[in-house]
Amino acid sequence: FITGKNFGVRHGFGLNLTAKYPLHESGNLRLNTTLMYNRFTSKFNKVFAEDVENDFVKYNVYSLAVGIEDNFNPGLKIRAFVGSGLLASMISGDTRMSSDSDVTEFSIKPGFRLGLSVYSGFEYLLSKNMGLSFGLKFTHANLWLKESRSSDSPGEIYLNDQKVYNNQLYSGYRQFAWGSFELGINYYLGVNEKLYYYRK
């Protein structure tokens, strides 16, 4: 984290709210808009010594994604889908690091980044208006607009994900990318009647 090799986190959780709009009557292609919140946090468990349990880094990632999804079999009760989207994210955080008797705390200033997400999964319809979804997603939140610079405010640093050549601490070519498993509840609007086709 200090030398800019990575962001210092490995685990997190998130919440998504997605609206899917079919682009034609059969419903195979859908336009998706997603609001996302992801929280990442880790303790620094291999630095210095005594106060290591209180050393941490935390990030909040707020995103808006717009993309296209292919729903392969909209006429079935179990549906497979695959999609991708363009992602706009605001990333911020906090960190605390201790060395001997010194404690360093920083607020990581919000940074705007563009990225991509790709995903696939299944939907299972419980009724004409309700269903469950299961999926896997890969998200790269800072693919574009990387930047590293020094802050004039004490106790604050920038996201600093672009490599610079002046030995600036906390900066480097870093990727905010993660894989996730998703479980969700679907609600279908405007469905008066639904016919299901079962393959024999």
Side-chain angles (χ1 to χ4, degrees):
F1 175 80
I2 296 173
T3 59
K5 292 181 179 179
N6 56 60
F7 283 105
V9 289
R10 285 189 273 178
H11 307 106
F13 67 91
L15 299 171
N16 297 343
L17 178 63
T18 301
K20 301 183 178 186
Y21 182 79
L23 296 178
H24 49 78
E25 186 175 353
S26 64
N28 291 82
L29 286 181
R30 300 188 288 200
L31 177 67
N32 289 2
T33 302
T34 304
L35 293 174
M36 302 168 55
Y37 168 73
N38 287 279
R39 170 79 163 176
F40 296 93
T41 180
S42 286
K43 290 184 177 181
F44 292 126
N45 56 2
K46 291 186 178 179
V47 292
F48 312 119
E50 300 173 356
D51 216 11
V52 65
E53 286 301 317
N54 295 319
D55 291 351
F56 64 86
V57 62
K58 299 177 182 178
Y59 294 95
N60 295 304
V61 184
Y62 298 91
S63 305
L64 172 65
V66 177
I68 293 291
E69 176 180 296
D70 190 348
N71 177 17
F72 295 109
N73 41 10
L76 300 182
K77 197 167 186 178
I78 299 179
R79 309 166 174 178
F81 59 85
V82 62
S84 64
L86 179 65
L87 199 72
S89 300
M90 190 65 70
I91 307 172
S92 61
D94 298 281
T95 183
R96 180 190 190 275
M97 295 165 287
S98 58
S99 173
D100 297 329
S101 59
D102 296 328
V103 176
T104 302
E105 294 183 344
F106 286 116
S107 172
I108 302 169
K109 300 182 74 170
F112 180 75
R113 301 292 186 268
L114 295 178
L116 290 173
S117 64
V118 293
Y119 59 91
S120 64
F122 295 91
E123 295 177 357
Y124 178 75
L125 273 69
L126 300 173
S127 69
K128 68 178 183 180
N129 294 115
M130 296 292 295
L132 300 176
S133 63
F134 313 87
L136 296 173
K137 178 186 285 187
F138 176 76
T139 305
H140 196 316
N142 70 328
L143 195 56
W144 298 292
L145 303 184
K146 293 176 184 286
E147 181 184 39
S148 289
R149 53 180 170 149
S150 299
S151 174
D152 296 328
S153 303
E156 290 185 339
I157 58 175
Y158 286 93
L159 195 58
N160 291 340
D161 51 358
Q162 178 64 53
K163 185 173 178 61
V164 292
Y165 298 95
N166 58 1
N167 296 320
Q168 178 181 323
L169 293 178
Y170 313 109
S171 65
Y173 190 73
R174 303 189 283 185
Q175 313 301 321
F176 218 119
W178 67 91
S180 56
F181 171 76
E182 298 187 341
L183 173 64
I185 298 175
N186 297 349
Y187 184 74
Y188 303 96
L189 297 172
V191 179
N192 296 320
E193 184 178 357
K194 183 65 181 175
L195 298 178
Y196 302 112
Y197 301 94
Y198 296 92
R199 294 176 179 172
K200 296 181 179 179

